[in-house]
Amino acid sequence: MPPMGSDRGATRATAAHTAAPHVDAARLRAGLRLVFLGDTADRLARLARPASDPAEALDAVVPAATLRYTLAQWRQRLRRGTAPERAVPLAPATGLPGHAALALALHVALDLDTAVLSRLFGRTPEQVGLDLAHARGALRPSILSACLDSLPSIGRYRDAALDLGERVALYQHARGCDRCRAALEAAEAADADLRALLDAVGATLPPEATRRGGPARALATPTALLASGGALLVVLLLVAGLIANRFLAAPHVPVPLRPAAQPADATGWLLFERSDGIAALDLASGTTRLLVPDPFGGRGLALVSPAYRRVAYWSPWDVTPGNEALEVYDLDGRLLHSWSWEEDARPTYPTAWLDEETLLVVQQPQWDPTISDQENQARWRRETALVAIDVASGARRVLLRGSVGWAVPSPDGTLIAISGSYESDSRGTALDVRPLGPDGLGPPIASITRVAASAGVWVPDGSRVYLGIVAGPGIEPKPADPVPGQSEMPARIDLVALDRDGRVTTIVEGRSGVMLRPITFTPDGQTLIFQSTNLDGPETFNATLWQVPATGGTPTPLATGSYYDAAYWRDGSEAILLVNATDAFPQGEIEQFRPGGPSPAWWTISVLGPDGTRRPVVGLPWDAAGWPIAWLPPDALPAPAETPASEPLRGEVSPPERVTGMPAEYTLDARSTVSPDGRVVVVADKTSTAPVIWDREREESRARFGAADFAWVRNGSDLLIGVAVPSEEERLPPPGRLTFYTGNAGVGFGSLNYRGFDPAGIYGRTSERYARPLVAPGGRAMSFFTVDVRAGETRLWVATWDNARIVDRWPSHAGALGNLPTLALWAGPDTLLYAVPEAMRDGFPQQVTLRRAVVAQDGGVSTESLVTLRAGGGERGIVLREMALSPDGSHVALRLRHYTRRDPARGAYDTVRVLPADDLTQQVEVARGNPGDGLSWAPDSHWLSFGLRGRVALATHDGRSLRYLSPEDTPAAYPLWVGPGEVWFVQGEGNVSHIVRVTVR
């Protein structure tokens, strides 16, 4: 070996490239004999054209040779493989990619630098460097033990085009790295062997036959002519094939991950008031955006202004002096004004927006414990005030003082319907419609008594207000000892319309024990949406949404769910948005699960079109959504606030350190995952089979016994879906079910529905199990696998509102590799990517196909194949072990395990590939080496971390840069990004392992 840094090969390459730009025909013939047998090599060499540029001269040779190499590998695979020819060190039987074998042969034989090789093979210089390293590794395997980030430079160690700085950095690193120094020595030894073979082959090359005259004519016997004619025919056919392939073949058609976008059933934002604040759901994409962080620590009342610019947030619970009880925000989260109990010295709650600048609130006197309840109620009826507040300045104007319970202005703001304080044991209260002028409220222009609930709902043109009134006798007074089953509400409530002239029209007659409540109107004002709620009996609080003509008629049911149902419409829309919540506390056994079906604590969001058709668009778990408050147009929300530009991650890695507060018995494994906000991490317990929920902020945990295959429901930060499995620690939930779990470690209960879901109806069948349940963004659909051991079949299911159906199936291969992974991911609200192992032979799949399932607007599901990944020549099989979608959806990362021996535990290696979402055929191999575990994207989607060769590595999605997160000679695996610049992984220390963290800058 020459001294480090001498680089005799690079000097020779430079001289050859500058002094002899043409291609030496004899040297080309000898170089191709490093890859093919003699006759084949000579036929390919004849395709070279006279040219001053090597790339132009070899322009026809390289594609023909690559094709010949691939065909040879296919023939070997059909013949169950053949041993490589000893005199052909880079033969197809070695299993090398054709571009790698040919690049090394031309690099050594013709001294071509990577600039030329890049043009010939259509690969970047870094990729060519990796190809050269892997090809030499077929001769000297120790080369592939080098550091991953050094392999491209080691492959180019004798490359004249290698930057001087990179060359110096390579040799400086090799002086301190035994692996890379040994790899360089092995690379030089491999090249020396190849050059010696080239010299030997060149000295014995037979003369090339000429077309006319000379010795060749003397040898033109009939047999020789027949042989040469056959060879000429083969060459002509090969050239014709190349011409046809280049000029007649169809242009490349990209294979995108996602299909053409479907028109959205609903657009705009649905606002929810939930436990962590006010959030907005994009109905078209299913993504959620937090607008106002939790201001009070509990749910209250949120009202959106008429032009969708502001929101008033009021909390009536757990408010102590000095805490804000009422706040007004812009929809970008900016606080405009706040009021506290201490400042006002009396309760204040909002009822409606008068306009964009004015909020209507009701101020009631404090409850006086020194006087009787009757005296306090009398004070409320005398002293309660309806106040208009300027939200920018906080200035207040009293509009009315007296019995005020609720107030709702007409759409044009000229009238206000005001209902009095309601007493549940009375016959209702009174409602007045008063005009609002510059001097305040005028006398009533219309009145009605016995109002059962709020101030009602105005028709869009402001001509009438609709409300519920007590039509039958009320409870007089509330009995001291209520009779079980006896209603404590009025016997009957009717829906009526109150005109400006005081005329009352009955729209819907009620019945005993049922509350009727107006909700909203269709945009044209012709149809009223109302709700009926059962107030007693076994179906208490079960509710139904109805539609009825605004002038009265026969109601038509729209949805049946719970008391929490709602409906909304917005300017510019011809549809009504229905929000239907199933009963959070069902009385009977839970039915088969569907995203919008009868599952506990689940919102179904549907669009009621002008033609009366109802189409579900989104499904949300209760905790992921909360309480719906408004439907906003698509452009109603401002762009996200600009954050200070953070420095992009350069891949600079800090030394690993133990995660603080993490118990020593916790570790990471294939089940580990992190919540969308990075707060909660699912870890494993070395002493138990149960996954553990770890809250990073609180540093507290909770085991989830009887659960497996966790995945986060991406519409909320604290909800998971998993498979219920048998557990010794906990009997519930039973096996053979799917279950939702809370990710909040402080919640006393583990699952939201302990009975579990059984969408495939396999409960009680010991031969079947669920695997990998996933909820699509927006919750419009979900997917899961069932594995039937008895039938030997794996089935992929997709569940929508209509049903759960099998959309694909394939044999469950339990050969040499055991049960193969079930892999899928949602690439959008309607697009599922999944992997199918195929072409089993001797217990190993020979290929894996990535397929796509697309959920149509009508709920139908179609499937199609996208790309197929095949085992290379000489490999026994290939398995897709892991699959991950980048956060921005632009790339898919794959971990492929290649098996080279009958024993799966020996001779296997992994390749990590990245596929762009806009064309899955354009794959980039970022690394390969001994098998590892873990595949995790950075939040910026630029960096990918993975386990390989017993270490954890970090690479860019294009494979151009690679770093290590873990030190050498220390086993590490299962990397997991938990924040923009923080990665966790498991690292061994002696006989134990710990969860460690590194920061990436």
Side-chain angles (χ1 to χ4, degrees):
M1 173 183 175
M4 284 289 181
S6 61
D7 199 19
R8 294 179 303 181
T11 305
R12 178 183 173 205
T14 304
H17 185 61
T18 56
H22 64 282
V23 172
D24 186 324
R27 195 70 173 175
L28 174 61
R29 291 174 62 199
L32 290 174
R33 276 171 162 77
L34 300 179
V35 184
F36 302 103
L37 294 175
D39 291 343
T40 302
D42 286 350
R43 287 197 297 270
L44 293 170
R46 293 189 193 111
L47 298 179
R49 300 192 298 267
S52 59
D53 185 279
E56 295 180 3
L58 300 175
D59 193 42
V61 176
V62 167
T66 304
L67 176 62
R68 179 67 180 81
Y69 198 94
T70 302
L71 292 175
Q73 287 183 326
W74 272 103
R75 285 198 299 271
Q76 290 163 3
R77 184 179 303 171
L78 294 175
R79 297 170 186 168
R80 293 181 176 267
T82 57
E85 296 287 342
R86 292 186 177 181
V88 187
L90 303 176
T94 60
L96 286 169
H99 55 78
L102 288 166
L104 180 59
L106 297 177
H107 183 55
V108 175
L110 303 176
D111 290 318
L112 301 183
D113 61 27
T114 51
V116 176
L117 294 173
S118 295
R119 293 170 55 195
L120 283 170
F121 292 97
R123 296 173 65 78
T124 66
E126 289 79 8
Q127 291 171 334
V128 172
L130 279 173
D131 292 341
L132 297 175
H134 290 147
R136 293 186 180 106
L139 308 177
R140 300 292 176 105
S142 61
I143 295 174
L144 299 181
S145 298
C147 299
L148 287 178
D149 51 352
S150 299
L151 268 182
S153 297
I154 291 174
R156 300 177 62 188
Y157 84 95
R158 63 186 302 273
D159 176 21
L162 182 63
D163 179 77
L164 180 60
E166 294 184 47
R167 190 182 305 280
V168 171
L170 170 64
Y171 282 97
Q172 285 179 341
H173 170 74
R175 288 191 180 96
C177 178
D178 294 339
R179 289 183 178 181
C180 291
R181 183 167 61 252
L184 275 171
E185 294 174 352
E188 292 188 351
D191 285 357
D193 292 342
L194 291 176
R195 286 195 297 270
L197 184 58
L198 279 169
D199 292 341
V201 169
T204 58
L205 276 177
E208 272 281 74
T210 58
R211 294 189 177 186
R212 59 182 70 179
R217 182 179 293 271
L219 298 175
T221 62
T223 302
L225 286 175
L226 180 62
S228 62
L232 179 60
L233 178 61
V234 170
V235 172
L236 291 176
L237 290 174
L238 183 60
V239 173
L242 290 171
I243 294 174
N245 182 66
R246 175 166 297 185
F247 297 106
L248 301 181
H252 172 69
V253 178
V255 179
L257 169 60
R258 301 173 186 85
Q262 303 182 62
D265 281 320
T267 59
W269 301 87
L270 185 62
L271 263 57
F272 283 92
E273 193 278 300
R274 61 189 196 187
S275 58
D276 60 346
I278 298 174
L281 169 72
D282 184 351
L283 294 173
S285 67
T287 58
T288 303
R289 173 175 159 190
L290 187 64
L291 301 181
V292 179
D294 178 16
F296 301 118
R299 294 174 180 169
L301 174 66
L303 300 173
V304 180
S305 63
Y308 315 114
R309 290 171 44 205
R310 292 167 178 167
V311 61
Y313 198 106
W314 173 72
S315 176
W317 298 302
D318 299 328
V319 180
T320 57
N323 290 343
E324 285 74 18
L326 175 62
E327 295 181 340
V328 175
Y329 291 85
D330 281 340
L331 289 185
D332 60 1
R334 182 170 61 96
L335 178 64
L336 295 179
H337 208 88
S338 65
W339 296 267
S340 69
W341 290 92
E342 185 177 47
E343 176 188 344
D344 293 337
R346 56 186 175 274
T348 302
Y349 61 89
T351 69
W353 286 86
L354 183 61
D355 52 44
E356 287 300 302
E357 309 299 329
T358 310
L359 184 65
L360 295 179
V361 301
V362 173
Q363 291 184 340
Q364 297 172 332
Q366 291 278 18
W367 190 267
D368 187 350
T370 64
I371 62 177
S372 67
D373 290 352
Q374 290 78 8
E375 290 175 313
N376 272 301
Q377 291 176 0
R379 285 185 62 214
W380 278 17
R381 287 190 289 268
R382 281 194 319 269
E383 301 177 16
T384 298
L386 178 63
V387 180
I389 300 180
D390 185 294
V391 296
S393 66
R396 311 179 188 191
R397 182 169 59 126
V398 176
L399 300 180
L400 180 67
R401 194 176 296 277
S403 180
V404 178
W406 206 258
V408 178
S410 62
D412 59 6
T414 61
L415 300 173
I416 300 180
I418 305 170
S419 63
S421 301
Y422 180 74
E423 300 175 14
S424 60
D425 60 354
S426 73
R427 296 172 59 87
T429 187
L431 178 138
D432 294 334
V433 176
R434 295 173 178 263
L436 177 64
D439 299 327
L441 286 172
I445 63 171
S447 298
I448 190 172
T449 58
R450 300 188 300 171
V451 175
S454 70
V457 175
W458 286 91
V459 73
D461 63 8
S463 61
R464 301 180 302 280
V465 61
Y466 287 67
L467 41 93
I469 65 169
V470 177
I475 299 297
E476 299 274 1
K478 181 178 179 179
D481 298 317
V483 178
Q486 179 179 355
S487 173
E488 298 181 3
M489 295 297 292
R492 197 183 91 218
I493 296 176
D494 293 345
L495 284 184
V496 302
L498 175 64
D499 292 338
R500 290 180 179 230
D501 59 5
R503 185 178 55 179
V504 177
T505 304
T506 299
I507 305 301
V508 177
E509 289 189 0
R511 60 185 176 87
S512 178
V514 177
M515 169 70 79
L516 299 184
R517 179 167 61 98
I519 302 293
T520 190
F521 282 90
T522 55
D524 59 8
Q526 300 301 307
T527 304
L528 171 69
I529 309 295
F530 71 95
Q531 182 190 71
S532 66
T533 306
N534 298 321
L535 298 178
D536 53 26
E539 297 183 348
T540 300
F541 292 117
N542 284 2
T544 301
L545 286 176
W546 305 78
Q547 63 179 353
V548 66
T551 56
T554 302
T556 303
L558 296 176
T560 299
S562 78
Y563 179 73
Y564 307 103
D565 292 354
Y568 303 93
W569 68 278
R570 61 174 173 81
D571 293 341
S573 173
E574 296 182 355
I576 289 285
L577 200 67
L578 304 178
V579 183
N580 177 233
T582 55
D583 193 347
F585 303 99
Q587 302 293 326
E589 182 68 19
I590 297 175
E591 298 182 27
Q592 180 169 304
F593 166 74
R594 303 181 187 106
S599 61
W602 195 275
W603 289 112
T604 301
I605 302 170
S606 308
V607 168
L608 178 66
D611 57 355
T613 58
R614 179 181 174 222
R615 299 183 303 278
V617 292
V618 175
L620 292 174
W622 181 282
D623 279 8
W627 187 273
I629 56 177
W631 180 19
L632 278 58
D635 58 353
L637 295 186
E642 291 290 337
T643 57
S646 59
E647 188 175 357
L649 297 178
R650 301 186 301 271
E652 298 174 359
V653 181
S654 68
E657 59 182 5
R658 292 274 299 273
V659 175
T660 59
M662 181 70 68
E665 64 269 20
Y666 290 170
T667 186
L668 301 174
D669 61 12
R671 302 173 297 176
S672 298
T673 181
V674 62
S675 61
D677 62 359
R679 174 178 169 175
V680 179
V681 182
V682 177
V683 299
D685 189 338
K686 302 173 188 175
T687 64
S688 171
T689 59
V692 175
I693 306 297
W694 174 259
D695 191 314
R696 297 175 58 204
E697 294 183 4
R698 300 177 181 176
E699 292 190 357
E700 62 182 15
S701 62
R702 182 177 180 85
R704 298 302 188 212
F705 295 108
D709 277 11
F710 270 161
W712 290 95
V713 177
R714 293 286 165 175
N715 298 311
S717 61
D718 61 352
L719 202 65
L720 300 112
I721 186 171
V723 177
V725 297
S727 171
E728 296 180 0
E729 297 90 345
E730 186 173 295
R731 294 296 181 183
L732 295 175
R737 299 288 180 96
L738 301 179
T739 307
F740 283 97
Y741 297 83
T742 175
N744 188 340
V747 173
F749 55 88
S751 63
L752 298 185
N753 47 304
Y754 64 87
R755 295 181 181 88
F757 301 133
D758 186 21
I762 67 173
Y763 180 65
R765 302 179 191 172
T766 58
S767 65
E768 292 187 59
R769 63 179 176 87
Y770 283 106
R772 198 165 181 80
L774 300 169
V775 177
R780 184 174 177 229
M782 71 170 294
S783 66
F784 54 88
F785 294 92
T786 57
V787 180
D788 190 333
V789 177
R790 181 176 301 170
E793 188 173 66
T794 297
R795 304 173 184 120
L796 173 66
W797 298 67
V798 172
T800 60
W801 278 270
D802 296 329
N803 56 29
R805 72 199 75 181
I806 299 173
V807 299
D808 209 339
R809 62 178 76 205
W810 53 89
S812 294
H813 307 299
L817 302 177
N819 293 321
L820 298 178
T822 49
L823 297 179
L825 57 84
W826 283 97
D830 57 5
T831 305
L832 179 73
L833 180 70
Y834 62 99
V836 180
E838 297 173 326
M840 292 295 294
R841 190 173 70 199
D842 297 334
F844 295 88
Q846 302 303 297
Q847 64 187 39
V848 57
T849 296
L850 297 181
R851 291 177 58 80
R852 178 175 67 195
V854 179
V855 181
Q857 289 178 303
D858 61 1
V861 182
S862 60
T863 63
E864 61 180 318
S865 297
L866 299 179
V867 294
T868 298
L869 311 168
R870 297 179 174 85
E875 293 180 354
R876 286 193 169 272
I878 186 173
V879 172
L880 182 60
R881 299 292 306 178
E882 297 179 78
M883 182 165 61
L885 180 68
S886 62
D888 64 1
S890 62
H891 292 84
V892 177
L894 308 177
R895 176 190 295 277
L896 289 162
R897 186 151 298 169
H898 307 256
Y899 294 91
T900 60
R901 300 188 183 184
R902 184 179 298 274
D903 182 359
R906 302 178 58 200
Y909 69 94
D910 286 358
T911 58
V912 177
R913 303 184 189 179
V914 175
L915 289 62
D918 55 1
D919 187 0
L920 297 180
T921 65
Q922 304 301 310
Q923 306 172 27
V924 174
E925 181 181 303
V926 298
R928 69 166 56 196
N930 293 335
D933 292 291
L935 198 64
S936 181
W937 283 98
D940 67 358
S941 299
H942 184 67
W943 292 92
L944 175 70
S945 59
F946 50 88
L948 201 68
R949 299 183 186 172
R951 300 182 72 182
V952 170
L954 182 72
T956 52
H957 63 75
D958 57 8
R960 293 177 178 270
S961 180
L962 189 144
R963 304 284 189 273
Y964 283 110
L965 303 181
S966 63
E968 291 186 71
D969 304 321
T970 302
Y974 299 112
L976 190 65
W977 285 84
V978 299
E982 183 174 349
V983 185
W984 289 8
F985 56 90
V986 177
Q987 181 171 289
E989 298 177 14
N991 295 326
V992 298
S993 61
H994 302 284
I995 299 178
V996 299
R997 63 182 292 272
V998 299
T999 57
V1000 182
R1001 296 180 293 273

